[in-house]
């Protein structure tokens, strides 16, 4: 899967929220086309880790490199970097005052200055790909959670990103809608998209991930292929975590 | 009602309210534009802009409107020589529009700023994650949702503006309250009827305005 230099590199990243050390000397590299699933107990820093990669959370020390370039601090350069990294949120965050199609074409139109006809065509194709082409003219509040999250994935893909970040994309969904979102993510992974996925879906981690990262208390505790991690977790912390979630 | 049967009086009454409507209309447009810009400044990450917005609000929201309008006349016009029209009435009108606009903009700004707080942070985060700049995020995602949530308060501000427009009478414009004062002086036998006609006209203009904004607020509300 991995070819050439890695796409995302975190080196000795530290972050504090006040006295809380949320990211404790985290180093990680993600290759092109690689799917990395980040798991761990609540408050372990996995969402924060995900959000530092497009600098929605600034870091206190260490370096983050994306596609060979250090993350810009702010301004136009940062906006450009963000346009190359798709992000999917736990609470969807679709623009509530815009239709689904407008949500998907907003980035291409306003950030990339694409022609409306081009943006619209790709937008509709993406909505078709995630299976909600017939919802294009509705507003987000008229869709189910699963449909909204699929629209949010289409919105991120419309920017033709080099990588996709997923911050607990199924945690706010009713159980019967989790599958439809995971199906879209699995097909993305199969198509070779570079993905960092924070999730509690162990099934997805098993079948779609190249690597599983286990975090606890802000530290990156384990980094292993899924088969190895689930069969033989090395750390006590991971064993304890897995025993709690897999026995029910 | 013999007072208003006199065509001269009736014309004065009509033109008085016409001035009120013109003052309200022009000032509402300016106050909305300035107020939204001030709100954008107050939520921006630039300290100088935040300070400017805060200073504007603190100065004009906490100064009596009479004083602001007097300053426009005696300060801007008499002392500094700012003349906005050849015609004296029109000059007073535009001076009044300046005073009403800068004053009302402070209230619009605070309404919009409270509206910004009703927009979930995830909306701005999603916009930034797509690569929109701060200004684009504000203009395309946050402010449209913020202003929709403050349509009802906008209605109250507009109603207050319309009534406040009578203060421009103090710098000589023959708007409704000035007309009323003249009519009262000339018709001591009909004081109560004259009051009732002027008050009734304001109520007839403003009560529907209030209901209209209530209806509009429901219609424009962002469904979440």
């Amino acid at each position: 899967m991995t070819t050439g230099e890695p796409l995302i590199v975190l080196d000795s990243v530290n972050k504090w929220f006040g006295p809380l050390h949320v990211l404790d000397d985290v180093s990680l590299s993600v290759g092109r086309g690689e799917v990395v699933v980040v798991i761990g107990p609540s408050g372990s820093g996995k969402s924060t880790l995900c959000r530092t990669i497009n600098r929605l959370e600034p870091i206190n020390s260490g370096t983050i490199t994306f596609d060979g370039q250090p993350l810009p601090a702010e301004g136009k350069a940062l906006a450009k970097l963000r346009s190359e990294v798709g992000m999917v949120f736990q609470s969807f965050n679709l623009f509530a005052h815009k239709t689904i199609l407008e949500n998907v074409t907003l980035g291409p139109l306003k950030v990339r200055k694409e022609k409306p006809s081009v943006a619209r065509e790709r937008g509709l194709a993406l909505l078709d790909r995630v299976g909600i082409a017939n919802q294009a003219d509705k507003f987000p509040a008229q869709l189910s959670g699963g449909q909204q999250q699929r629209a949010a994935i289409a919105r991120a893909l419309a920017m033709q990103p080099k990588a996709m970040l997923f911050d607990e994309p199924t945690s706010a969904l009713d159980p019967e809608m989790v599958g439809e979102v995971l199906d879209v993510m699995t097909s993305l992974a199969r198509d070779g998209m570079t993905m960092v996925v924070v999730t509690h879906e162990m099934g997805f981690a098993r079948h779609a991930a190249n690597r599983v990262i286990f975090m606890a208390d802000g530290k990156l505790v384990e980094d292993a292929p899924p088969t190895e991690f689930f069969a033989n977790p090395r750390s006590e912390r991971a064993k304890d975590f897995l025993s709690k979630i897999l026995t029910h | 009602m013999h007072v208003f049967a006199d065509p001269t009086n009736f014309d004065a009454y009509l033109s008085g309210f016409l001035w009120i409507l013109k003052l309200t209309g022009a000032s509402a447009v300016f106050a909305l534009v300035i107020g939204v810009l001030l709100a954008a400044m107050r939520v921006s990450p630039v300290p100088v802009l935040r300070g400017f917005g805060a200073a504007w609000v603190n100065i004009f929201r906490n100064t009596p409107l009479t004083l602001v309008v007097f300053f426009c006349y005696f300060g801007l016009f008499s002392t500094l020589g700012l003349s906005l029209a050849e015609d004296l009435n029109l000059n007073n009108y535009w001076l009044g529009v300046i005073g009403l606009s800068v004053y009302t903009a402070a209230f619009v700004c605070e309404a919009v700023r409270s509206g910004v707080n009703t927009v979930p942070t995830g909306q701005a985060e999603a916009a930034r994650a797509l690569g929109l700049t701060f200004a684009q995020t504000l203009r395309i995602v946050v402010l449209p949702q913020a202003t929709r949530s403050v349509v009802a308060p906008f209605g109250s501000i507009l109603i207050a503006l319309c009534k406040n427009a009578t203060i421009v009478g103090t710098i000589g414009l023959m708007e409704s309250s000035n007309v009323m004062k003249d009519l009262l002086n000339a018709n001591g036998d009909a004081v109560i009827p004259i009051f009732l006609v002027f008050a009734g006209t304001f109520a007839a203009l403003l009560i529907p305005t209030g209901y209209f904004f209530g209806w509009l607020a429901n219609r424009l509300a962002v469904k979440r």
Side-chain angles (χ1 to χ4, degrees), chain A residues 51 79 82 93-94 97 110, chain B residues 123 125 128-129 136 140:
Chain A
R51 291 162 58 87
R82 284 174 174 156
N93 295 347
L94 289 171
H97 63 309
K110 302 295 180 181
Chain B
Q123 295 282 305
E125 276 190 351
R128 283 156 62 209
Q136 284 179 316
I140 301 169

Side-chain angles (χ1 to χ4, degrees), chain A residues 51 54 56 76 79 82-83 85 87 89 93-98 106-107 110-111 113 141 155 159, chain B residues 121-133 136 139-142 144-145 148 222-224:
Chain A
R51 291 162 58 87
N54 65 356
L56 280 182
K76 287 256 184 320
R82 284 174 174 156
S83 73
V85 184
M87 176 130 195
F89 300 87
N93 295 347
L94 289 171
F95 305 128
H97 63 309
K98 301 223 172 262
L106 185 83
K110 302 295 180 181
V111 178
K113 316 285 184 201
R155 174 175 68 179
M159 299 299 286
Chain B
T121 45
Q123 295 282 305
E125 276 190 351
R128 283 156 62 209
L130 274 182
L132 270 69
T133 61
Q136 284 179 316
R139 187 165 52 80
I140 301 169
V141 174
V142 177
Q145 296 186 53
R148 284 170 195 225
V222 178
K223 308 277 183 299
R224 298 204 187 278

Side-chain angles (χ1 to χ4, degrees), chain B residues 77-146:
Chain B
F77 173 59
S78 301
T79 308
L80 299 172
L82 177 72
S83 180
L84 297 160
E86 288 291 311
D87 178 61
L88 194 65
N89 256 333
L90 213 53
N91 190 44
N92 288 343
Y93 165 76
W94 283 115
L95 291 169
V97 167
I98 292 179
L100 287 169
S101 300
V102 299
Y103 175 84
T104 308
F107 292 89
V108 171
C109 167
E110 290 306 275
V112 172
R113 207 160 63 100
S114 78
V116 168
N117 293 331
T118 68
V119 181
T121 45
Q123 295 282 305
E125 276 190 351
R128 283 156 62 209
L130 274 182
L132 270 69
T133 61
F134 175 80
Q136 284 179 316
T137 300
L138 208 55
R139 187 165 52 80
I140 301 169
V141 174
V142 177
L143 284 179
Q145 296 186 53

Side-chain angles (χ1 to χ4, degrees), chain B residues 12 21 23 47 56 73 83 100 108 139 153-154 161 176 199:
Chain B
L21 291 181
L23 284 166
W56 185 301
Y73 187 83
S83 180
L100 287 169
V108 171
R139 187 165 52 80
F154 275 176
L161 169 64
S176 63

Side-chain angles (χ1 to χ4, degrees), chain A residues 90-127:
Chain A
Q90 182 176 351
S91 48
F92 329 136
N93 295 347
L94 289 171
F95 305 128
H97 63 309
K98 301 223 172 262
T99 64
I100 296 304
L101 184 60
E102 286 169 345
N103 264 277
V104 175
T105 55
L106 185 83
L109 289 176
K110 302 295 180 181
V111 178
R112 294 273 159 76
K113 316 285 184 201
E114 285 179 23
K115 275 200 209 140
S117 58
V118 176
R120 185 187 156 81
E121 199 174 320
R122 193 168 67 247
L124 285 171
L126 283 167
L127 288 178

Side-chain angles (χ1 to χ4, degrees), chain A residues 188-233:
Chain A
L188 258 184
R190 223 179 277 130
D191 291 349
M193 176 62 78
T194 308
M195 294 164 65
V196 175
V197 184
V198 175
T199 188
H200 294 293
E201 299 298 332
M202 298 304 144
F204 179 80
R206 274 178 204 276
H207 74 251
N210 302 112
R211 273 156 67 204
V212 172
I213 304 285
F214 178 75
M215 286 188 73
D217 304 322
K219 290 189 187 68
L220 200 155
V221 180
E222 291 200 36
D223 180 348
T227 42
E228 194 181 315
F229 174 78
F230 287 110
N232 298 304

